[in-house]
Amino acid sequence: MQKPKTLIALLAVLSVVFLGLQLFKYEYYASGIRALLLVLLSILYCSRVENKRKFFFLFLITFTIADVFNFLSWQISPDSFMADYSYYIINAMYILSYSFLIVQILKTLDIKQVVTKLPVHIIILLVLDISCVIVVTNTTKPELQFAEYLLEFVYNTVIMALLSVALINYIYKDDKKSMNFLVGSIFIVFSEVIQLAYFYVSEVNVLNVLCSIFLVLAFVFFYLQAKISHEENYNKLEV
């Protein structure tokens, strides 16, 4: 019991260190601390959560590997051909990790029943998702080649799909677990959109710090929902 508590305390300290490094623009070290945080969070998930969800675990592992690669990519020269490969590989892994989260939610839903009960919600969310993806991705268009733009379009589509599925999941189940998952997904979207603004609109450091804060909060809520057992949900449905 003592080891998990120590690990949680270490995660809290490293989160503060990570945000501090971002605040003072030590991007390289912040990237390393972030990767370490995710490794430790994966260990915490394995040690503290009894009813592990396969696709949530795959999300954690894939996201962590992508972050480790992202940290290692700092060693690659920006002019090297490997820089382009690392860009595509790392972002493809983030897309895959978020896709695992979407699958984790969908596999617990009765899709036919959801469509029957919430048709208006789904149509509205589809329209909003398409609009948001086009608007957000077009902010990067002047800066990117076609392949990079296409990757960003897919990335943003998956992010918005995650938020929409999490919202439908909460409306349908209306319990504490699905609420925590929704809040975590909202923070993920905030983090990603702000990061996009930081990279392609204005490199104001406060945007980078906000992006990091939202990312940390997202994983806090994802971990909280992971700890809630099957029996604690109001209508006995798992995510």
Side-chain angles (χ1 to χ4, degrees):
M1 182 62 74
Q2 191 63 33
K3 287 184 179 179
K5 287 183 178 179
T6 302
L7 189 54
I8 291 172
L10 180 59
L11 281 165
V13 171
L14 287 175
S15 296
V16 174
V17 172
F18 167 60
L19 295 174
L21 290 170
Q22 291 280 39
L23 182 62
F24 292 104
K25 300 183 180 181
Y26 292 106
E27 298 289 342
Y28 173 74
Y29 299 106
S31 178
I33 293 294
R34 170 171 151 162
L36 178 59
L37 273 168
L38 286 164
V39 170
L40 294 176
L41 182 61
S42 299
I43 294 171
L44 182 65
Y45 176 77
C46 292
S47 62
R48 286 293 295 268
V49 177
E50 294 182 4
N51 298 318
K52 298 174 183 61
R53 312 290 182 251
K54 180 175 71 172
F55 286 101
F56 184 79
F57 180 68
L58 287 172
F59 156 71
L60 273 180
I61 294 300
T62 310
F63 199 99
T64 301
I65 293 172
D67 250 42
V68 171
F69 282 174
N70 186 48
F71 173 62
L72 295 176
S73 70
W74 281 82
Q75 308 300 326
I76 301 173
S77 169
D79 299 324
S80 169
F81 74 96
M82 284 300 296
D84 290 332
Y85 283 109
S86 64
Y87 169 80
Y88 289 108
I89 291 171
I90 292 168
N91 281 287
M93 292 190 71
Y94 284 132
I95 290 171
L96 181 61
S97 68
Y98 290 135
S99 299
F100 284 138
L101 273 185
I102 294 171
V103 172
Q104 181 60 63
I105 301 174
L106 291 177
K107 69 188 285 288
T108 67
L109 292 173
D110 185 332
I111 304 299
K112 184 183 291 187
Q113 193 176 40
V114 169
V115 173
T116 302
K117 287 186 174 182
L118 305 170
V120 177
H121 299 74
I122 293 172
I123 292 171
I124 291 173
L125 285 172
L126 278 174
V127 172
L128 289 174
D129 285 352
I130 292 169
S131 302
C132 288
V133 169
I134 291 173
V135 170
V136 170
T137 310
N138 279 346
T139 62
T140 69
K141 199 170 186 177
E143 306 289 334
L144 302 177
Q145 299 176 358
F146 177 75
E148 295 170 333
Y149 175 83
L150 186 60
L151 181 65
E152 290 291 341
F153 189 89
V154 174
Y155 195 112
N156 294 332
T157 300
V158 172
I159 291 297
M160 292 308 300
L162 171 62
L163 179 59
S164 296
V165 171
L167 179 57
I168 291 294
N169 180 61
Y170 174 67
I171 294 172
Y172 183 70
K173 296 179 180 176
D174 191 20
D175 59 15
K176 188 175 180 180
K177 187 177 182 71
S178 60
M179 182 186 69
N180 284 334
F181 202 103
L182 174 60
V183 175
S185 299
I186 291 171
F187 281 131
I188 282 289
V189 173
F190 283 171
S191 176
E192 294 290 351
V193 171
I194 291 172
Q195 185 179 61
L196 206 66
Y198 175 73
F199 284 149
Y200 299 110
V201 178
S202 175
E203 292 189 5
V204 178
N205 193 49
V206 67
L207 292 176
N208 199 25
V209 175
L210 281 173
C211 166
S212 301
I213 290 172
F214 287 139
L215 183 69
V216 170
L217 289 173
F219 276 90
V220 168
F221 279 95
F222 282 151
Y223 175 72
L224 290 175
Q225 70 82 29
K227 286 192 66 180
I228 299 175
S229 68
H230 176 75
E231 291 75 19
E232 289 173 337
N233 288 317
Y234 295 123
N235 51 6
K236 309 300 182 188
L237 286 172
E238 295 181 354
V239 174

